[in-house]
Amino acid sequence: MALSLQSPPSPTLSASIHQKGRWKTLAAGFSVSPLPAVNFTLRRSIPRIYASSSSFSSPSSSSLEAGENNELDAVSAFSEIVPDTVVFDDFERFPPTAATVSSALLLGICGLPDTIFRNAVDMALADSSCAGLETTESRLSCFFNKAMVNVGGDLVKLVPGRVSTEVDARLAYDTNAILRKVHDLLRLYNEIDVPHDRLLFKIPATWQGIEAARLLESEGIQTHLTFVYSFAQAAAAAQAGASVIQIFVGRLRDWARNHSGDTEIEAAIKSGEDPGLALVRRSYNYIHKYGYKSKLMAAAVRNKQDLFSLLGVDYVIAPLKVLQSLKDSPAISDDEKYSFVRKLSPETATHYNFTNKELVKWDQLSLASAMGPASVELLSAGVEGYANQAKRVEELFGKIWPPPNV
């Protein structure tokens, strides 16, 4: 792939990324429609990291088929494997399937003025409709929305899957505010002709966020619920019809190592299971046994053992070091720990048993009662972290606006 990180001389995005790039973008992967025509090519010797077509057809029970000569090829027959971070130097090794545009991404862009995305931010800060707003708060919010959408529009041209747009986490406990924000962002995407089916909107899985997802999905707007750390959240998100539900495997494990008193985590440990992996398994089986449309994403996967334990889950976000290890390892292995056997499937989900307490129709009260200290603390920390990043973006925009030569 011949790509360049230098900003193009015109507002048109250049799809060239240079090997000297050092900057990272956060990614989350969701395969749907085919890649629009853009000016770059892929060497076919470099494997794309896909599980299957957008229809998510069921892979075979064994991945050791012709042409699958390394572990990355093998595991990709079961789940869509997505790089946790997309480093521009690594586009050739691990071409991204999809992306997330976030406040963290905007901060990174502003810190590296020669990236191909800097023009998208500068154009947002030069927007006359935002500049003409009366209050500083409304002006900075407008710039923030424009920058997110401009970068998201550029990412749509670079990846074949969907682009997830982070919804301001400061709104995480206000359903109506989330709805207004998503509608504002979608209106801006319409102005730059980005199809709705290429978009997801990433919302924290508070009760208010889950309710917002339900209402948005009823309008045909695809949602991505994040910071899911309990079965109650996952089940409520599935009942709401969220398109993607994201569970952070490693963060639950980290919490369990340093805390106690969460009955859901203690039940998993008592049965000999890792709490993060156990939550993914229960959530996957619930979604598939009862016919919910949601796709499940396992994030914060720390090692190959985590990944092999979740083969069959819809999406796995894996660190680059894990992906490189998979790519460097032959698919045929005598190590049973790393055997290529599908662990999760719609068929096996039908045999999983749930208690009556788990099969309730979730509402705000039942969700609050069911969430243990781990999910409460981790959800709160995630929301706070995202909110602080959004605030930092607006503060930075206030310092650099208006941009030079505008």
Side-chain angles (χ1 to χ4, degrees):
M1 179 189 297
L3 294 175
S4 169
L5 265 181
Q6 300 303 314
S7 296
S10 71
T12 303
L13 175 68
S14 169
S16 300
I17 296 179
H18 195 274
Q19 283 291 330
K20 293 182 180 178
R22 295 291 178 218
W23 181 61
K24 300 181 179 180
T25 70
L26 304 181
F30 334 94
S31 176
V32 273
S33 50
L35 179 65
V38 290
N39 296 323
F40 64 82
T41 58
L42 293 170
R43 299 191 186 104
R44 297 316 304 160
S45 60
I46 303 162
R48 293 291 293 189
I49 307 174
Y50 286 116
S52 61
S53 68
S54 59
S55 62
F56 293 97
S57 55
S58 297
S60 62
S61 60
S62 172
S63 68
L64 300 183
E65 299 175 356
E68 294 174 348
N69 52 17
N70 62 51
E71 289 181 342
L72 182 56
D73 294 332
V75 299
S76 295
F78 299 106
S79 301
E80 182 164 342
I81 311 300
V82 184
D84 189 11
T85 55
V86 178
V87 185
F88 285 167
D89 282 354
D90 295 306
F91 262 54
E92 289 202 5
R93 286 192 300 153
F94 307 111
T97 57
T100 295
V101 55
S102 63
S103 49
L105 182 59
L106 294 183
L107 289 170
I109 292 169
C110 292
L112 288 168
D114 63 344
T115 72
I116 60 173
F117 299 106
R118 183 53 191 257
N119 185 67
V121 173
D122 288 344
M123 292 299 291
L125 292 173
D127 188 272
S128 58
S129 62
C130 294
L133 295 174
E134 292 185 2
T135 67
T136 300
E137 181 181 1
S138 60
R139 185 164 56 246
L140 293 177
S141 178
C142 183
F143 288 145
F144 190 11
N145 289 349
K146 285 274 189 179
M148 292 282 275
V149 168
N150 286 355
V151 174
D154 283 354
L155 286 169
V156 164
K157 302 172 188 177
L158 286 173
V159 299
R162 289 176 281 186
V163 171
S164 187
T165 303
E166 179 187 297
V167 176
D168 192 337
R170 292 171 292 185
L171 311 177
Y173 298 97
D174 187 335
T175 297
N176 289 329
I178 294 171
L179 295 176
R180 286 193 297 271
K181 177 65 74 173
V182 171
H183 288 143
D184 287 345
L185 293 169
L186 195 57
R187 175 180 54 80
L188 294 175
Y189 274 118
N190 288 338
E191 291 177 1
I192 59 174
D193 298 321
V194 175
H196 290 195
D197 63 359
R198 298 295 309 283
L199 298 171
L200 287 155
F201 292 93
K202 189 174 183 181
I203 302 168
T206 60
W207 170 254
Q208 294 80 4
I210 293 169
E211 182 66 4
R214 182 184 68 81
L215 295 169
L216 291 166
E217 292 282 351
S218 71
E219 300 176 31
I221 300 171
Q222 299 176 107
T223 59
H224 168 191
L225 285 173
T226 189
F227 300 140
V228 173
Y229 296 104
S230 65
F231 175 78
Q233 286 176 286
Q239 290 180 4
S243 295
V244 175
I245 300 170
Q246 184 171 354
I247 293 172
F248 293 85
V249 173
R251 295 184 192 177
L252 274 169
R253 180 183 305 148
D254 294 341
W255 192 95
R257 284 172 177 165
N258 299 297
H259 304 81
S260 60
D262 188 294
T263 56
E264 186 172 345
I265 286 179
E266 289 175 353
I269 294 172
K270 187 176 180 180
S271 65
E273 295 185 280
D274 174 90
L277 299 175
L279 177 57
V280 172
R281 281 194 285 269
R282 286 175 71 204
S283 301
Y284 178 93
N285 289 328
Y286 178 82
I287 288 167
H288 286 274
K289 181 171 184 173
Y290 297 105
Y292 294 107
K293 74 169 190 176
S294 305
K295 300 300 180 184
L296 194 64
M297 173 181 291
V301 169
R302 301 285 170 79
N303 51 57
K304 289 202 296 187
Q305 181 60 58
D306 285 348
L307 197 155
F308 281 97
S309 298
L310 296 173
L311 289 181
V313 72
D314 300 300
Y315 310 107
V316 179
I317 301 182
L320 291 178
K321 65 179 181 180
V322 172
L323 295 181
Q324 189 62 55
S325 177
L326 291 168
K327 190 166 181 275
D328 292 341
S329 302
I332 299 175
S333 173
D334 295 328
D335 190 344
E336 291 184 1
K337 178 173 74 170
Y338 290 158
S339 60
F340 304 107
V341 176
R342 182 166 187 161
K343 302 299 194 299
L344 302 170
S345 72
E347 292 75 25
T348 57
T350 61
H351 303 294
Y352 194 92
N353 294 319
F354 292 91
T355 67
N356 290 334
K357 286 176 120 180
E358 293 171 323
L359 297 179
V360 300
K361 174 64 177 175
W362 294 95
D363 57 24
Q364 185 172 8
L365 180 60
S366 59
L367 179 68
S369 299
M371 288 177 64
S375 54
V376 170
E377 291 175 23
L378 291 169
L379 171 62
S380 177
V383 169
E384 183 180 2
Y386 275 24
N388 288 339
Q389 287 176 340
K391 183 179 178 182
R392 286 176 58 201
V393 170
E394 290 187 348
E395 290 173 348
L396 180 59
F397 283 178
K399 293 176 181 177
I400 65 177
W401 182 81
N405 304 318
V406 174

